[in-house]
Amino acid sequence: MEQCGFRDNVQGREKASFPGAIIVLMAIVGVASAPGGAWANVVQWTGNGDGISWSNAANWDTGLVPGSSSDVFIEDGGGNTVVLSATATVNSLYSEKDIDCQSASFTVKAPSTINGSLKINSGYSLTVTGAGAKLQVNGRAYISGANLYATEGGQLLLPDTDNTYATTATRTIPASGTDSLIEISNLLLISGPVSRNVVLDVQATSGAAIRLPALVQAKQYVRFYANGVNSNIVLPSFEIFDGGGSCYQGLTIGSASISNHGRILFPNLHTVRNASFFAYDGLTMNLASVVIFYYTADQKSNVLASGTDSKIDLSNLKLVTGPPHRARRLSFRAEVGGVIDLSALEESRGVVTFSATGQDSLIHVPSLYKINGSGNHYSTFGTISIRDHASIPLPSLNTVIAYGLYAYDGLTLDLRSVRSLYNNTNARNSIVADGVNSTINISNLLSTSGPTVRNSSFSIEANNGGTINLAALGESRKTVHFSASGQNSLINLPSLVFLEGYGGSSGTGSMTIRNNGNIHVPQLQTLDSFNCYSYDGLTLDLSSVTTYKNTSGITSVIAATGID
């Protein structure tokens, strides 16, 4: 092919004939050429061997199987399908035939096109790597269960695939490096594995992008992760994320995570079931489209905003439902200056925890009216916790059922809006103010009651200088335990007149002071089936009591233990 200036440098001979299509292909697929317009390693399919096998040297015009520097052309010659049974790497590929990687991974390093179909079997890999490298498969691509890689600027374009990608084993679909891209145009569903520590990772890092424009749903253990400037996962049609599986130990769950300027865009996501979300490094994960968020699996799910100005926006969510299971929970956590926006949330059901830790950390729940934290085990209940200069304002909260409430580090959990607070479940929940000046203010609550179920309890505790203000509480019924321990620890009950402690199989309520703690009950008149304890030389002043009785049939105890 003298007129074209092409020479086979490997074989040291001029090509006697060269399909005219290849002249055009240099422009179409951009096959790298050596100085002077010569290709370094052109290899053409003849099919003169068995007409099928890539690894059969007789099927190639050079008599050699293509290597990592080869520019491969499969146009004419025998057979309709070329089968790879061993892993192969080439510089570039142009194919009009079907490519079937039956038991092989395949890598290209320069612009490439497959106009036939491409099949990568489950567990094997398809890789496009290098600046300017691009593989476009114009025929059907069968990729379910395969690993897909785009690295160092490589781009993988798959406009025609099956609608579902499914795997039961650990798989990865990562794009890494500036301008690297994986685009799968018509994929509708991703179905990940369900077993412990087995996941499908979809990752865009170091300036890469993954585009799944038609994806509607991901289910089971699928993890989306974007990290690095200009790293994007783009899911414009994504509507449903169901991240649950069968791992009862809670180690694996579907998730979406952004850090270091990465972004995950899913503007139409409306339903979340059993999935976790993480925002780091001052980034915002926009989930404002989500209106249904619930949890039924055996895993622990987290919604975490960590780092100054990190934010998760769930501002249109009105109801959240957690699991009922032991040691399972759905956690909303704002840490180290992070913010979670739940501004429309009105009700929380099941084992849902809200925790804020660190300066300026905030969970914004101005509309939250009712929380019911009961589960199906005595050790399982929802919680609200603040510590280390964080806050969870609850200006509208009215009803609290079976919830643990915790204030630490001198902070105040303001619950003045609460009018109903009780535990009628099998939970062992607590209200705890721990630390100097830590305060839980429930000053407008008129009555409370504890459980009647065996092994359950309801504790109200002021420890290490903490204060619980129950200024309006007039009566307490069933198994409620009041305890104050530590210098200046105080439970303030100036309006309490009636204590009935019998809780059936859950036992009887109690009141305990120790180590300079104090429980202030100046108006208490009636004690029924209630235990009272004073330790460490303290005085529990019950001089206002005019009636003490035991209607429970269970032994009640009034004990003063220790000198004075």
Side-chain angles (χ1 to χ4, degrees):
M1 229 167 135
E2 291 277 343
Q3 68 272 27
C4 298
F6 298 139
R7 181 176 297 274
D8 185 344
N9 294 332
V10 173
Q11 298 297 321
R13 58 178 174 82
E14 293 185 358
K15 298 264 185 198
S17 63
F18 221 71
I22 296 182
I23 301 174
V24 179
L25 288 174
M26 185 174 68
I28 294 176
V29 303
V31 175
S33 60
W39 282 333
N41 260 317
V42 173
V43 181
Q44 294 183 84
W45 175 266
T46 65
N48 292 335
D50 62 6
I52 296 175
S53 301
W54 178 286
S55 58
N56 186 332
N59 285 322
W60 303 99
D61 69 335
T62 61
L64 299 171
V65 175
S68 62
S69 62
S70 299
D71 295 308
V72 178
F73 292 88
I74 304 175
E75 299 172 282
D76 300 319
N80 295 317
T81 302
V82 178
V83 177
L84 282 79
S85 57
T87 294
T89 297
V90 298
N91 187 54
S92 68
L93 170 66
Y94 178 86
S95 178
E96 293 289 343
K97 298 181 183 293
D98 298 335
I99 304 295
D100 185 355
C101 298
Q102 287 186 349
S103 55
S105 296
F106 188 68
T107 299
V108 299
K109 301 184 292 183
S112 301
T113 300
I114 299 174
N115 287 325
S117 67
L118 171 66
K119 183 177 181 180
I120 304 290
N121 277 359
S122 179
Y124 293 93
S125 302
L126 176 62
T127 302
V128 184
T129 183
K134 178 188 293 186
L135 172 59
Q136 178 155 330
V137 181
N138 294 320
R140 173 61 63 97
Y142 301 93
I143 57 169
S144 191
N147 301 299
L148 307 174
Y149 297 88
T151 65
E152 300 179 9
Q155 299 188 353
L156 175 60
L157 306 179
L158 303 174
D160 183 13
T161 64
D162 289 334
N163 295 139
T164 299
Y165 178 103
T167 180
T168 59
T170 292
R171 298 288 183 263
T172 57
I173 301 179
S176 176
T178 302
D179 295 328
S180 295
L181 169 66
I182 296 176
E183 182 169 320
I184 309 174
S185 300
N186 65 345
L187 186 63
L188 300 180
L189 170 66
I190 294 178
S191 180
V194 297
S195 302
R196 178 183 179 186
N197 293 334
V198 181
V199 296
L200 168 60
D201 282 319
V202 181
Q203 303 176 349
T205 60
S206 304
I210 294 178
R211 298 176 189 158
L212 304 173
L215 187 69
V216 174
Q217 181 179 2
K219 65 180 184 179
Q220 291 148 196
Y221 298 161
V222 181
R223 299 190 302 198
F224 298 96
Y225 174 60
N227 175 276
V229 176
N230 296 324
S231 299
N232 298 306
I233 298 178
V234 183
L235 309 170
S237 303
F238 195 48
E239 297 181 358
I240 302 170
F241 193 5
D242 182 353
S246 61
C247 176
Y248 70 93
Q249 292 179 310
L251 300 177
T252 313
I253 198 165
S255 64
S257 175
I258 55 174
S259 58
N260 189 25
H261 303 285
R263 296 190 306 167
I264 301 177
L265 305 177
F266 25 42
N268 292 301
L269 179 62
H270 58 72
T271 300
V272 175
R273 177 176 179 262
N274 309 324
S276 293
F277 298 90
F278 304 91
Y280 301 95
D281 305 323
L283 302 179
T284 294
M285 181 173 285
N286 188 349
L287 300 173
S289 58
V290 174
V291 294
I292 298 173
F293 199 121
Y294 66 105
Y295 187 97
T296 59
D298 283 340
Q299 292 76 27
K300 297 176 181 179
S301 177
N302 290 285
V303 177
L304 171 64
S306 180
T308 302
D309 296 328
S310 298
K311 183 178 180 180
I312 294 183
D313 184 350
L314 283 161
S315 56
N316 288 304
L317 184 64
K318 292 187 176 182
L319 169 66
V320 63
T321 303
H325 309 298
R326 179 183 181 184
R328 304 344 178 223
R329 66 182 62 90
L330 167 57
S331 297
F332 292 90
R333 297 161 49 201
E335 300 178 355
V336 200
V339 174
I340 297 178
D341 186 354
L342 292 162
S343 51
L345 187 67
E346 297 175 353
E347 184 176 358
S348 173
R349 301 173 184 168
V351 185
V352 180
T353 67
F354 302 87
S355 172
T357 304
Q359 185 75 42
D360 298 324
S361 298
L362 170 68
I363 299 180
H364 187 51
V365 280
S367 304
L368 187 61
Y369 182 84
K370 181 179 180 180
I371 54 176
N372 184 342
S374 59
N376 61 9
H377 190 269
Y378 65 81
S379 66
T380 303
F381 49 88
T383 62
I384 294 176
S385 174
I386 56 172
R387 63 175 73 225
D388 189 23
H389 300 96
S391 63
I392 304 178
L394 296 156
S396 301
L397 186 59
N398 177 275
T399 302
V400 178
I401 304 170
Y403 241 80
L405 305 172
Y406 304 92
Y408 300 94
D409 304 322
L411 301 180
T412 295
L413 185 59
D414 189 348
L415 301 174
R416 285 177 293 174
S417 60
V418 172
R419 298 296 187 272
S420 178
L421 186 151
Y422 58 93
N423 176 8
N424 62 351
T425 73
N426 61 351
R428 289 180 176 177
N429 68 303
S430 301
I431 298 175
V432 180
D434 192 328
V436 176
N437 295 325
S438 298
T439 302
I440 296 181
N441 189 353
I442 323 175
S443 57
N444 291 308
L445 182 67
L446 299 180
S447 66
T448 190
S449 63
T452 59
V453 180
R454 184 177 183 180
N455 291 323
S456 59
S457 64
F458 176 21
S459 299
I460 299 174
E461 304 175 17
N463 300 323
N464 302 311
T467 297
I468 295 179
N469 186 7
L470 292 161
L473 190 70
E475 67 174 20
S476 174
R477 297 179 180 273
K478 302 186 172 65
T479 311
V480 180
H481 302 283
F482 299 88
S483 173
S485 176
Q487 187 74 40
N488 297 321
S489 298
L490 172 66
I491 299 178
N492 188 32
L493 298 162
S495 303
L496 186 65
V497 296
F498 182 83
L499 278 177
E500 178 213 16
Y502 179 50
S505 60
S506 68
T508 56
S510 66
M511 185 177 292
T512 303
I513 57 172
R514 65 176 73 232
N515 189 24
N516 297 302
N518 185 27
I519 299 177
H520 183 54
V521 285
Q523 303 297 324
L524 183 60
Q525 298 176 14
T526 301
L527 280 170
D528 184 352
S529 310
F530 215 82
N531 301 313
C532 300
Y533 304 94
S534 176
Y535 298 92
D536 304 322
L538 301 179
T539 296
L540 180 59
D541 188 351
L542 302 177
S543 58
S544 60
V545 173
T546 57
T547 302
Y548 183 90
K549 56 185 176 180
N550 183 354
T551 59
S552 67
I554 299 176
T555 300
S556 295
V557 178
I558 297 178
T561 302
I563 297 173
D564 296 328

